[in-house]
């Protein structure tokens, strides 16, 4: 009887065999496979213990289909990830609540919030962009007004780190003593000597007014005074190593 509606309260006489009004479970299943149920035709029942073979009725395109519970389980297993690492092919929506175990997935919102919380306000990092990202400020000496956490660390203004090299705070080690945290230091050159180029010799007595050289300081002919040897290579306005320019930014 394909397509027949199973209605609440209906007695099926002479179905499926003439001369009986009894419908066996097997016959009813065959009938339901191709029938359309009206609301209330089947009563709800609660059962928590599965049988060897359980069935589930599913409506598709106006028709009712019967599926074994095991087949439903296999169908869902192909769409949702398992702890054993199955590939997920469907969509997954999660709340931003804290995962309860290592194998529990976390939402993007939770991960984003966790990453943001992992960086302490006031932390300074180097950034490769020309402007600070959201949640960060450039260390350019600007006011810390409106940022209580930054004011507590840096005072009324951020340090201006544009064009600056950073040196670790000595903090009692004695390598760079006399410094306080966040203090600036001017450039300097340690005392040193230079070896004169070929053809020059050091003399302890420089040229006199008439241009003579103390003979006791000269061991070879044609030697010239080398009390000062100018350099024409890498001459600039500061002493610096090779470097790459990056922006210092601070977490708000």
């Amino acid at each position: 009887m394909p397509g027949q509606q199973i209605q609440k309260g209906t007695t099926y006489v002479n179905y499926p065999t003439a001369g009986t009004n009894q419908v066996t479970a097997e016959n009813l299943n065959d009938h339901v496979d191709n029938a359309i149920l009206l609301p209330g035709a089947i009563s709800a029942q609660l059962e928590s213990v599965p049988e060897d073979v359980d069935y589930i009725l599913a409506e598709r395109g106006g028709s009712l289909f019967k599926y074994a519970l095991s087949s439903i389980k296999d169908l869902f297993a192909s769409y949702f990830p398992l702890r054993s690492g199955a590939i997920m092919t469907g969509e997954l929506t999660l709340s931003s609540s804290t995962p309860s175990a290592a194998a529990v997935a976390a939402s993007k919102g939770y991960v984003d919030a966790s990453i943001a919380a992992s960086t302490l306000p006031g932390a300074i990092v180097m950034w490769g962009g020309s402007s600070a990202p959201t949640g960060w400020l450039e260390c350019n000496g600007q006011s810390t007004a409106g940022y209580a956490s930054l004011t507590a660390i840096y005072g009324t203004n951020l340090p201006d780190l544009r064009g600056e090299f950073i040196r670790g705070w000595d903090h009692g080690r004695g390598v760079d003593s006399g410094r306080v945290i966040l203090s600036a230091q001017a450039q300097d050159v340690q005392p040193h000597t230079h070896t004169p180029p070929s053809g020059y010799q050091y003399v302890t007595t420089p040229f006199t007014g008439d241009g003579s050289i103390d003979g006791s300081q000269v061991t070879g002919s044609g030697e010239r005074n080398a009390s000062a040897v100018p350099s024409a290579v890498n001459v600039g306005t500061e002493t610096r190593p090779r470097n790459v320019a990056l922006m210092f930014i601070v977490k708000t």
Side-chain angles (χ1 to χ4, degrees):
M1 302 174 62
Q4 178 175 333
Q5 296 177 339
I6 301 177
Q7 303 182 38
K8 183 177 181 181
T10 298
T11 299
Y12 292 90
V13 181
N14 298 325
Y15 172 77
T17 304
T20 177
N21 62 356
Q22 182 179 7
V23 179
T24 66
E26 181 179 359
N27 291 334
L28 180 59
N29 284 337
D30 292 337
H31 178 66
V32 167
D33 281 345
N34 298 297
I36 300 174
L37 292 183
L38 294 181
I42 296 180
S43 61
Q45 297 185 18
L46 299 178
E47 179 57 62
S48 59
V49 180
E51 298 293 337
D52 291 340
V53 179
D54 283 336
Y55 295 98
I56 292 178
L57 299 178
E59 187 274 334
R60 180 187 297 173
S63 298
L64 192 67
F65 294 87
K66 181 181 67 176
Y67 294 95
L69 184 60
S70 59
S71 66
I72 297 295
K73 181 193 70 174
D74 295 339
L75 177 65
F76 273 78
S78 66
Y79 280 94
F80 295 96
L82 302 177
R83 294 186 65 175
S84 59
I87 298 176
M88 179 179 138
T89 59
E91 295 182 356
L92 180 64
T93 301
L94 301 172
S95 66
S96 59
S97 58
T98 302
S100 58
V104 178
S107 67
K108 181 179 182 300
Y110 174 79
V111 173
D112 288 345
S114 299
I115 293 176
S118 66
T119 305
L120 295 176
I124 294 177
V125 301
M126 289 179 286
W127 176 250
S130 58
S131 60
T134 302
W136 297 77
L137 295 175
E138 182 182 3
C139 293
N140 59 5
Q142 65 179 289
S143 171
T144 58
Y147 301 96
S149 58
L150 298 183
T151 302
I153 300 172
Y154 300 109
T156 58
N157 292 85
L158 292 175
D160 192 348
L161 301 182
R162 294 172 297 177
E164 298 287 358
F165 289 98
I166 303 301
R167 183 173 188 173
W169 180 36
D170 185 279
H171 203 190
R173 183 183 179 189
V175 175
D176 185 31
S177 59
R179 303 283 302 280
V180 297
I181 194 71
L182 295 177
S183 63
Q185 189 177 58
Q187 63 179 350
D188 200 0
V189 179
Q190 189 177 27
H192 61 285
T193 59
H194 293 272
T195 300
S198 176
Y200 284 77
Q201 179 178 324
Y202 278 118
V203 294
T204 57
T205 303
F207 289 121
T208 60
D210 58 3
S212 64
I213 302 177
D214 185 347
S216 65
Q217 306 298 326
V218 180
T219 59
S221 60
E223 299 293 347
R224 292 164 288 175
N225 186 306
S227 59
V229 180
S231 174
V233 180
N234 291 337
V235 176
T237 59
E238 62 179 359
T239 302
R240 62 173 180 261
R242 291 180 55 181
N243 60 86
V244 175
L246 294 174
M247 178 189 291
F248 284 102
I249 58 176
V250 61
K251 184 71 172 64
T252 60

